Amino acid sequence: MLIVKEFALVLFLSTKLCNSQEWKFPDDFKFGVATSAFQIEGGWDADGKGVSIWDVLGHNRSVLVKDGSNGDVACDSYNKWEEDVMMVKNLGVDCYRISLSWTRILPEGYGTKINPAGVDYYNKIINKLLENGIEPVITLYHWDLPQFFSPLGGWTNPVVVEHFAYYARTVFTLFGDRIKTWITINEPRLICQSYKGLIGDVTPNFPLGVAEYLCAHNVLKAHAEAYHIYDREFRFKQNGKISITLDITWSEPANASNPEDVRAAEQNVLFEFGIYANPIMGFDYPRVVIDRVANRSKLENLSGSRLPKFTFAEKLRIKGTYDFLGINHYITMYTRAAADPPVTRPNLDVDAGGERFRDPSWEGCGAAWIKVVPWGLRRLLNWIKNTYHNPDIIITESGYADDSEVFEDDGRINYYRVYLNATLQAILEDGVNVKGYMAWSLMDNYEWIYGYTLRFGLYHVNFTDPNRTRTPKKSVEYFKNVTKTRTIN
Ligand code: BGC
């Protein structure tokens, strides 16, 4: 079945190529690869770095990690950064998305003390990338919160907002003369999910259905502060762009001609994505989110809604804080309407309602949650275009995992072929303003609670070798060819 599908795609692509010289990525479209600090750097306490929540989780609660591992060494990019830059160069991409470790730069997380070795480390990478004609795309925060904030409730405590703003100003000052694309925060939904006790943060037993909304509220405010600091103090001299990266699961109505399924599917997208996108690209949380959480809170006999309210001034401050929209996409699901569950165990998923499921015939990969459903990407790109007035979009992550050491990674090649094709269809046929696509990931790395058991890399990393040897997988050649020809083959 798969072979037939692949054959059909190759036929479709070659027909496109014969019919038109234009089945190519536009000149201003950027190809890239992505990683994040905690997942690759290692050097967890090297040269004055402070401790993050993920260091602590890896040391004290590694039972939560599938292989009991931690990120102390990871890919050892703290030492092997030069080789990483050369691997990026070999791929022929336009940009490399990395994140900064907050505690490598400000070791205490809350103090003003800067760690010169951390600054030096990022300066070396940024300069080397630029020397090699690669644009560094920098994410300020990719989940490695300074441990200082954890006993205070992490992102559920508004105190993080001002400290994040301080950190943002610090990095714009240190590196902004060379950075043209900034991302404040990676995937708030996943950050805030950790306060349901699912992943990440070390503070268990937060009140369900409350903490994740408090977190969302503070993440949005922190993002807006960073945006305004850049906009007001740095943009005029540095000329960069700044935004946030939201992850988006596409919810397809189980039966598109049933209005109830259509409503349930959209409601899911609004609860997961709109809760962040609407305050930034519209004004305030989506109406359906405000109403449903308020109604269910009432049924739970609470004195107010579990969803915090923004003041009018806060709504204005968050509105418009994007120069483009960063999205990470991995998942498509079907959603059908369902009776609302009882109000006994509140949480965001239950508030969102509906029933979600996957088509068992969809091709899978090493990560159980990822299925190869490229039309989901095309659909969501169109939905964003229609819902938020066709913003510029950068796909800041998209990728495929193996759960073993695969070097002839045809599954990954097929994944990029079909997802890049869906991206191109959205651009050329649907008029969506997609401006870039970054593969997750440059190399195999520390996959959070999955430890080293899932491999997303274009390059293989040998985690049992003290040298953390990197080896190109077959997909490197494929990706190189795409970036060289700017077409899909
Ligand atoms: C995260 C990455 C992660 C990837 C694959 C994204 O949600 O930003 O850090 O490795 O998904 O699971």
Side-chain angles (χ1 to χ4, degrees):
M1 186 59 188
L2 184 62
I3 295 171
V4 175
K5 270 199 272 174
E6 276 191 18
F7 177 71
L9 179 71
V10 170
L11 200 69
F12 167 77
L13 290 176
S14 35
T15 322
K16 283 275 176 197
L17 287 174
C18 295
N19 288 348
S20 146
Q21 289 306 309
E22 300 304 314
W23 198 247
K24 266 191 150 187
F25 287 91
D27 291 345
D28 64 349
F29 185 90
K30 289 179 184 168
F31 292 102
V33 279
T35 57
S36 87
F38 187 77
Q39 294 178 272
I40 65 162
E41 286 179 3
W44 76 277
D45 63 349
D47 305 329
K49 177 183 167 292
V51 179
S52 81
I53 57 172
W54 274 93
D55 295 320
V56 173
L57 185 139
H59 296 160
N60 302 350
R61 298 175 71 213
S62 64
V63 291
L64 295 179
V65 180
K66 190 162 181 195
D67 55 3
S69 65
N70 59 44
D72 285 4
V73 181
C75 304
D76 196 21
S77 289
Y78 188 65
N79 295 305
K80 294 178 71 83
W81 59 272
E82 218 163 343
E83 193 176 332
D84 296 349
V85 173
M86 289 306 127
M87 286 165 14
V88 177
K89 184 172 187 184
N90 178 43
L91 286 164
V93 291
D94 306 289
C95 49
Y96 179 32
R97 174 179 178 233
I98 57 171
S99 78
L100 306 177
S101 155
W102 185 339
T103 57
R104 205 179 283 294
I105 296 169
L106 295 169
E108 293 156 338
Y110 64 98
T112 57
K113 191 178 101 194
I114 293 179
N115 174 26
V119 176
D120 188 46
Y121 172 63
Y122 292 117
N123 270 332
K124 283 188 299 196
I125 299 176
I126 290 168
N127 293 343
K128 195 73 180 178
L129 286 168
L130 291 171
E131 266 166 49
N132 284 284
I134 303 156
E135 181 194 340
V137 172
I138 305 270
T139 304
L140 268 58
Y141 181 78
H142 197 124
W143 304 0
D144 43 357
L145 190 69
Q147 171 59 19
F148 171 79
F149 298 110
S150 189
L152 302 174
W155 280 102
T156 66
N157 189 330
V159 77
V160 180
V161 175
E162 67 191 84
H163 291 288
F164 182 75
Y166 184 88
Y167 164 58
R169 181 179 283 109
T170 307
V171 303
F172 298 147
T173 310
L174 291 168
F175 309 116
D177 56 334
R178 287 151 292 157
I179 304 303
K180 296 294 169 225
T181 311
W182 293 103
I183 289 154
T184 54
I185 294 174
N186 180 69
E187 295 194 6
R189 181 178 77 88
L190 267 286
I191 297 168
C192 295
Q193 242 188 30
S194 71
Y195 299 100
K196 287 198 298 201
L198 284 184
I199 50 161
D201 202 355
V202 282
T203 317
N205 304 325
F206 268 74
L208 285 175
V210 176
E212 61 255 54
Y213 292 122
L214 286 174
C215 168
H217 213 64
N218 293 326
V219 165
L220 280 163
K221 287 188 195 175
H223 157 75
E225 286 317 302
Y227 181 93
H228 286 295
I229 288 171
Y230 188 76
D231 198 42
R232 209 175 44 230
E233 300 170 30
F234 296 91
R235 192 194 290 280
F236 72 94
K237 52 187 177 204
Q238 297 183 347
N239 280 319
K241 292 190 170 169
I242 179 162
S243 189
I244 192 166
T245 276
L246 307 177
D247 69 300
I248 175 161
T249 292
W250 179 241
S251 271
E252 179 72 10
N255 174 356
S257 47
N258 176 354
E260 287 302 294
D261 284 1
V262 173
R263 188 193 46 75
E266 177 150 279
Q267 201 164 287
N268 266 272
V269 181
L270 290 172
F271 261 86
E272 289 192 355
F273 175 81
I275 199 168
Y276 300 101
N278 283 32
I280 293 173
M281 305 176 80
F283 196 63
D284 205 354
Y285 294 121
R287 192 72 249 166
V288 67
V289 174
I290 297 174
D291 289 347
R292 276 184 66 88
V293 182
N295 289 340
R296 291 180 65 80
S297 302
K298 210 175 197 172
L299 294 172
E300 291 154 13
N301 293 323
L302 301 180
S303 52
S305 176
R306 288 182 276 102
L307 181 73
K309 288 187 180 57
F310 288 120
T311 63
F312 187 72
E314 286 169 344
K315 287 182 213 169
L316 277 182
R317 186 118 181 112
I318 296 169
K319 182 181 174 53
T321 53
Y322 67 104
D323 300 328
F324 59 90
L325 174 68
I327 61 161
N328 292 351
H329 172 66
Y330 293 92
I331 305 172
T332 288
M333 308 263 265
Y334 280 116
T335 304
R336 66 173 148 247
D340 273 339
V343 292
T344 42
R345 289 194 74 250
N347 73 48
L348 187 145
D349 298 332
V350 176
D351 290 338
E355 248 173 45
R356 296 167 114 188
F357 62 97
R358 295 178 168 90
D359 183 333
S361 74
W362 287 343
E363 187 194 341
C365 72
W369 70 92
I370 299 178
K371 307 286 173 202
V372 185
V373 194
W375 55 260
L377 173 61
R378 185 174 178 184
R379 288 267 220 290
L380 76 86
L381 290 171
N382 275 278
W383 183 82
I384 292 174
K385 171 189 160 199
N386 297 329
T387 310
Y388 302 102
H389 311 294
N390 207 4
D392 282 356
I393 298 172
I394 300 178
I395 300 171
T396 43
E397 281 182 35
S398 159
Y400 175 100
D402 288 306
D403 56 7
S404 59
E405 306 200 35
V406 182
F407 288 86
E408 299 285 305
D409 54 343
D410 293 305
R412 180 166 295 100
I413 292 173
N414 177 54
Y415 178 93
Y416 284 125
R417 183 181 280 132
V418 294
Y419 274 75
L420 283 164
N421 190 54
T423 306
L424 204 42
Q425 286 174 319
I427 299 172
L428 298 182
E429 297 186 342
D430 311 334
V432 185
N433 286 328
V434 191
K435 298 295 181 193
Y437 181 101
M438 302 188 194
W440 184 271
S441 175
L442 169 65
M443 63 189 144
D444 297 338
N445 56 48
Y446 186 73
E447 179 52 26
W448 309 111
I449 51 165
Y450 293 92
Y452 300 104
T453 64
L454 289 180
R455 293 172 173 272
F456 279 89
L458 292 162
Y459 287 84
H460 172 273
V461 177
N462 183 346
F463 292 107
T464 54
D465 173 356
N467 192 35
R468 297 297 190 272
T469 305
R470 283 94 156 111
T471 310
K473 300 181 191 173
K474 191 173 166 188
S475 53
V476 164
E477 276 315 301
Y478 177 76
F479 214 77
K480 272 173 82 163
N481 207 28
V482 172
T483 61
K484 189 163 154 217
T485 59
R486 305 185 70 79
T487 60
I488 306 160
N489 32 59

